[in-house]
């Protein structure tokens, strides 16, 4: 349990929030949402003690332990992978180190013997004899194979370190758990494992995430940071989003009577509750259904970008044909081989792989930015493309302001360019900022504006939700669902894939798995799981 009393956080003259009084209780997972800069990560830092609030207190239950997902991926470079995970249970780790020191003493005294006896008793109580095997199992579940457990952390890639840090946070069943963007750099299979793991925990968990499906799958309650306040309400992200949109429409309809509004809201809650009750995560939603109330539903102050893709030209029947395509990594590792597919008109295809580099290699090849190691590809003569690359660094090595930068990529005067930038929430003097000082999220919004200028009939998107906030992801997702042209994309966002893709092509070193089906059906099909595993052997 975590009790927050009269909490206030202020930076200079800017007040993030004040008078925050919340009791986070065990058995609940709280999804923390809010616009960029609202103070989501700051709230977690205040609770963990990393940040001193301007006012107020944070208290844990008596004797309870708090664990935090570490963001510093270099902090443990001098330790082994397994030891790093064991340090996630600090009392156990301290016990192990003290026992080790005492047992190594040459002049072992009676006093030392008594202390060792105490430590041994505590060690057993904390599950010390199973600690290493439990830590190893946690690592394996997160995709860190056994041959890596005794390596130094410094030897691991950033992607691998992220998984170790997550294992460290989860290890030892802490009473309270704070997770800031836990799905970053995780593949979809590992995110699925984490969802299932968290759905069974009985601790108090706070999660900040831009992954809507993940928030929906694990959250029993939502912490919304908006209007300078921190508010807890029953329901997951989808409930919050749909209800806030409904409340906004009602607020805009001045003629609708109060009683009609209330009936509409009550019907919305009834339908939402029925959908939740049918879901496979019902067991972790027990407390949510009874607490949904009309009073919780209100419009949000969030702003959503206007992402609108339109086609200048209707595509013909020939879209893209790929034959015997092969790509190698710089070290000679096969990213994919024997790739053959033909894209049909109107299809929206997600490309998957255990190796993210495989999708990037494919997209770079079909966009003419990289040579294939074997095979060919051919676009239809009517096809125009707009590409959102994974790495956009080269586009922003410039002293140009936003208006002049965007003007490079399409026709139109300054007013037109400001209009496109305005859709992407750049207003006033912001459009005169130099592009080389933009944040990751701002660069992505600029790249999306660039794509909209092209009026292409085929969109190619390499992990399009990277660096975007929930509002931008939601707007992007909504528009792609209705887009009439073709979409070829990769993504770590489960909801994005499930709602956009109607075809799945998995790239492996031994060829492709190509299915006309929805993503949920694909990943939960047991026969396909076996087939996929064999393709990577």
């Amino acid at each position: 349990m975590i009790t927050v009393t009269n909490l206030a956080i202020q930076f200079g003259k800017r007040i993030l929030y004040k008078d925050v009084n919340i009791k986070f209780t065990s058995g609940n997972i709280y999804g923390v949402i809010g616009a960029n800069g609202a103070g989501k990560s700051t709230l977690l830092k205040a609770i963990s003690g990393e940040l001193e609030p301007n006012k107020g207190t944070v208290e844990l239950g008596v004797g309870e332990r708090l664990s935090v997902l570490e963001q510093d991926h270099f902090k443990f470079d001098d330790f082994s992978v397994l030891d790093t995970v064991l340090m996630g249970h600090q009392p156990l780790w301290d016990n192990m180190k003290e026992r080790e020191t005492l047992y190594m003493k040459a002049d072992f005294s009676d006093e030392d013997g008594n202390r060792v006896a105490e430590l041994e008793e505590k060690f057993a109580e904390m599950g010390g004899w199973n600690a290493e095997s439990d830590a190893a199992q946690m690592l394996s579940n997160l995709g860190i194979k056994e041959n890596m457990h005794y390596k130094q952390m410094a030897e691991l890639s950033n992607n691998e370190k992220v998984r170790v840090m997550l294992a460290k946070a989860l290890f030892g069943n802490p009473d309270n758990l704070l997770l800031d963007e836990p799905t970053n750099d995780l593949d979809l299979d590992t995110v699925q494992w984490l969802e299932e793991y968290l759905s069974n925990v009985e601790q108090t968990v706070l999660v900040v995430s831009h992954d809507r499906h993940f928030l929906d799958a694990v959250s029993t309650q939502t912490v919304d940071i908006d209007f300078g306040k921190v508010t807890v309400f029953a329901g997951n992200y989808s409930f919050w989003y749909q209800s806030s949109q409904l409340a906004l429409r009602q607020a805009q309809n001045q003629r609708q009577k109060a009683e009609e509004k209330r009936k509409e809201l009550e019907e919305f809650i009834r339908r939402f509750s029925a959908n939740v009750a049918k879901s496979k995560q019902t067991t972790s939603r027990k407390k949510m259904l009874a607490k949904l109330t009309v009073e919780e539903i209100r419009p949000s102050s969030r702003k959503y970008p206007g992402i609108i893709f339109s086609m200048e030209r209707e595509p013909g029947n020939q879209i893209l044909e790929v034959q015997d395509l092969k790509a190698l990594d710089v070290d000679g590792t096969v990213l994919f081989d024997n790739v053959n597919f033909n894209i049909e008109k109107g299809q929206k295809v997600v490309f998957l792989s255990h190796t993210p580099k495989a999708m990037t290699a494919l997209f770079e090849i079909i966009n003419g930015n990289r040579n294939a190691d074997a095979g060919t590809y051919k676009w239809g003569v009517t096809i125009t493309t707009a590409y959102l690359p994974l790495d956009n660094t080269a586009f922003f090595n410039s002293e140009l302001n936003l208006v002049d930068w965007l003007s490079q990529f399409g026709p139109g005067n300054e007013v037109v360019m400001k209009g496109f930038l305005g859709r992407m929430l750049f207003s006033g003097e912001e459009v005169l900022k130099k592009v080389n000082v933009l944040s990751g999220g701002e660069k992505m919004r600029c790249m999306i504006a660039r794509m909209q200028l092209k009026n292409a009939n085929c969109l190619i998107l390499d992990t399009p939700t990277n660096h975007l906030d929930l509002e931008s992801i939601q707007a992007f997702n909504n528009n792609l669902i209705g887009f009439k042209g073709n979409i070829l994309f990769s993504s770590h966002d489960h909801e994005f894939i499930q709602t956009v893709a109607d075809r799945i092509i998995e790239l492996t070193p031994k060829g492709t798995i190509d299915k006309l089906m929805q993503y949920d059906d694909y990943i939960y099909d047991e026969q396909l799981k076996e087939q996929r595993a064999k393709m990577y052997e």
Side-chain angles (χ1 to χ4, degrees):
M1 182 174 69
I2 302 171
T3 304
V4 178
T5 307
N6 295 327
L7 187 76
I9 295 179
Q10 180 174 345
F11 295 110
K13 293 183 178 181
R14 186 186 175 213
I15 299 173
L16 282 183
Y17 27 75
K18 60 181 180 178
D19 301 325
V20 179
N21 291 279
I22 300 172
K23 184 175 285 188
F24 299 104
T25 57
S26 59
N28 280 307
I29 299 180
Y30 298 85
V32 184
I33 64 172
N36 277 359
K40 302 183 293 294
S41 297
T42 301
L43 178 64
L44 265 59
K45 288 177 180 177
I47 291 173
S48 71
E50 181 182 345
L51 176 73
E52 183 73 26
N54 298 87
K55 182 183 176 184
T57 60
V58 176
E59 295 179 345
L60 304 182
V62 177
E64 290 188 348
R65 189 166 63 89
L66 174 73
S67 185
V68 180
L69 176 59
E70 297 271 1
Q71 301 296 320
D72 182 354
H73 299 156
F74 302 99
K75 184 176 179 180
F76 300 93
D77 276 0
D78 294 334
F79 296 91
S80 73
V81 169
L82 193 61
D83 281 352
T84 299
V85 177
L86 292 170
M87 280 187 272
H89 193 326
Q90 195 62 47
L92 176 62
W93 176 256
D94 292 342
N95 181 297
M96 293 169 68
K97 292 295 102 179
E98 187 176 353
R99 285 167 63 253
E100 185 180 303
T101 300
L102 288 171
Y103 280 130
M104 290 176 67
K105 287 184 69 174
D107 54 343
F108 193 81
S109 65
D110 289 343
E111 186 179 342
D112 293 330
N114 292 333
R115 178 58 180 160
V116 164
E118 293 175 10
L119 291 170
E120 289 288 2
E121 185 178 355
K122 286 288 185 182
F123 184 74
E125 287 176 4
M126 291 187 286
W129 298 113
N130 297 321
E132 288 200 9
S133 61
D134 290 345
Q137 184 60 57
M138 183 73 72
L139 286 165
S140 297
N141 289 337
L142 288 165
I144 302 296
K145 296 180 181 177
E146 192 172 343
N147 62 358
M148 301 175 68
H149 293 184
Y150 294 95
K151 285 186 175 182
Q152 293 296 104
M153 286 289 287
E155 299 178 60
L156 271 58
S157 68
N158 191 60
N159 179 283
E160 291 162 343
K161 286 182 178 180
V162 167
R163 294 163 187 261
V164 178
M165 291 296 99
L166 184 54
K168 176 180 179 291
L170 300 177
F171 176 68
N173 296 316
D175 304 286
N176 304 283
L177 183 59
L178 307 182
L179 300 174
D180 193 349
E181 298 293 355
T183 63
N184 277 5
D185 295 314
L186 298 185
D187 61 51
L188 290 159
D189 289 335
T190 308
V191 172
Q192 184 183 337
W193 175 85
L194 183 59
E195 289 176 1
E196 292 173 358
Y197 177 89
L198 290 175
S199 68
N200 294 311
V201 302
E202 293 298 327
Q203 297 99 314
T204 304
V205 184
L206 273 70
V207 180
V208 173
S209 178
H210 288 159
D211 186 328
R212 297 159 299 159
H213 182 275
F214 180 75
L215 284 176
D216 280 352
V218 303
S219 298
T220 58
Q221 305 208 31
T222 296
V223 180
D224 182 30
I225 303 178
D226 201 359
F227 303 103
K229 297 181 179 179
V230 182
T231 307
V232 179
F233 60 81
N236 57 21
Y237 173 77
S238 286
F239 175 77
W240 172 85
Y241 174 73
Q242 294 172 29
S243 63
S244 66
Q245 291 296 298
L246 173 59
L248 179 61
R249 289 194 299 272
Q250 287 192 338
Q252 292 169 341
N253 185 357
Q254 301 296 327
R255 292 176 296 178
Q256 189 175 11
K257 295 178 181 178
E259 184 58 30
E260 291 176 355
K261 288 182 181 181
R262 186 174 186 85
K263 286 181 179 179
E264 185 178 14
L265 294 172
E266 288 174 342
E267 173 62 17
F268 165 75
I269 291 175
R270 188 192 64 76
R271 284 187 283 106
F272 182 86
S273 300
N275 289 337
V276 170
K278 293 175 185 176
S279 77
K280 63 179 184 294
Q281 293 101 1
T282 301
T283 54
S284 62
R285 305 291 173 272
K286 288 179 286 190
K287 299 177 183 179
M288 185 175 78
L289 301 179
K291 295 182 180 180
L292 301 182
T293 63
V294 170
E295 286 70 25
E296 294 180 8
I297 299 177
R298 61 175 183 168
S300 165
S301 69
R302 316 276 214 286
K303 292 183 178 179
Y304 293 81
I307 300 177
I308 304 169
F309 292 107
S310 56
M311 300 186 298
E312 190 170 17
R313 181 179 186 179
E314 181 75 18
N317 292 323
Q318 293 182 325
I319 310 299
L320 173 64
E321 184 179 0
V322 170
Q323 293 185 331
D324 300 321
L325 213 61
K326 179 179 182 179
L328 303 176
D329 204 351
V330 289
D331 62 0
T333 303
V334 178
L335 295 174
F336 56 78
D337 195 7
N338 192 32
V339 170
N340 294 273
F341 60 82
N342 187 47
I343 304 297
E344 297 184 9
K345 185 176 181 179
Q347 284 184 336
K348 298 175 181 178
V349 186
V350 64
F351 291 87
L352 307 177
S353 177
H354 283 186
T355 307
K357 289 181 180 179
M359 286 88 77
T360 296
L362 175 69
F363 295 150
E364 287 291 293
I365 288 168
I366 64 176
N367 278 282
N369 299 331
R370 169 178 174 165
N371 292 325
D373 291 285
T376 61
Y377 68 93
K378 183 180 180 181
W379 288 101
V381 295
T382 63
I383 304 306
T384 55
T385 63
Y387 178 36
L388 186 66
L390 179 65
D391 183 3
N392 59 37
T393 305
F395 287 89
F396 296 97
N397 292 330
S398 169
E399 292 286 325
L400 294 174
N401 64 43
L402 269 65
V403 175
D404 292 339
W405 179 88
L406 189 60
S407 298
Q408 301 173 100
F409 304 112
N413 57 28
E414 182 178 319
V415 174
V416 172
M417 296 303 145
K418 284 183 176 180
F420 275 97
L421 290 167
R423 285 189 201 169
M424 301 309 297
L425 306 183
F426 294 106
S427 59
E429 295 298 312
E430 283 186 313
V431 300
L432 300 179
K433 280 201 299 189
K434 292 182 179 180
V435 296
N436 57 8
V437 301
L438 298 178
S439 68
E442 289 172 329
K443 288 177 181 177
M444 282 295 287
R445 284 188 276 130
C446 283
M447 292 296 288
I448 295 169
R450 171 183 173 271
M451 288 185 72
Q452 291 177 82
L453 284 174
K454 292 181 174 293
N455 294 318
N457 52 33
C458 181
L459 307 179
I460 305 169
L461 312 168
D462 192 351
T463 324
T465 59
N466 271 10
H467 303 293
L468 293 180
D469 57 23
L470 277 169
E471 291 70 48
S472 298
I473 292 170
Q474 190 75 58
F476 206 166
N477 197 163
N478 290 348
N479 185 256
L480 292 184
I481 291 170
F483 182 66
K484 301 300 183 185
N486 287 92
I487 303 174
L488 313 179
F489 73 105
S490 66
S491 179
H492 297 306
D493 188 310
H494 187 124
E495 185 74 9
F496 207 89
I497 299 173
Q498 174 66 14
T499 55
V500 174
D502 53 27
R503 180 179 175 184
I504 296 168
I505 299 179
E506 185 155 359
L507 307 170
T508 83
K510 298 180 181 178
T512 58
I513 303 171
D514 190 344
K515 297 292 180 181
L516 285 168
M517 62 196 309
Q518 285 201 303
Y519 179 65
D520 279 348
D521 297 329
Y522 184 80
I523 60 171
Y524 293 116
D525 187 296
E526 293 300 326
Q527 288 184 329
L528 280 175
K529 283 183 181 179
E530 293 179 11
Q531 182 185 355
R532 293 168 65 205
K534 289 178 181 178
M535 297 290 276
Y536 291 98
E537 290 176 351

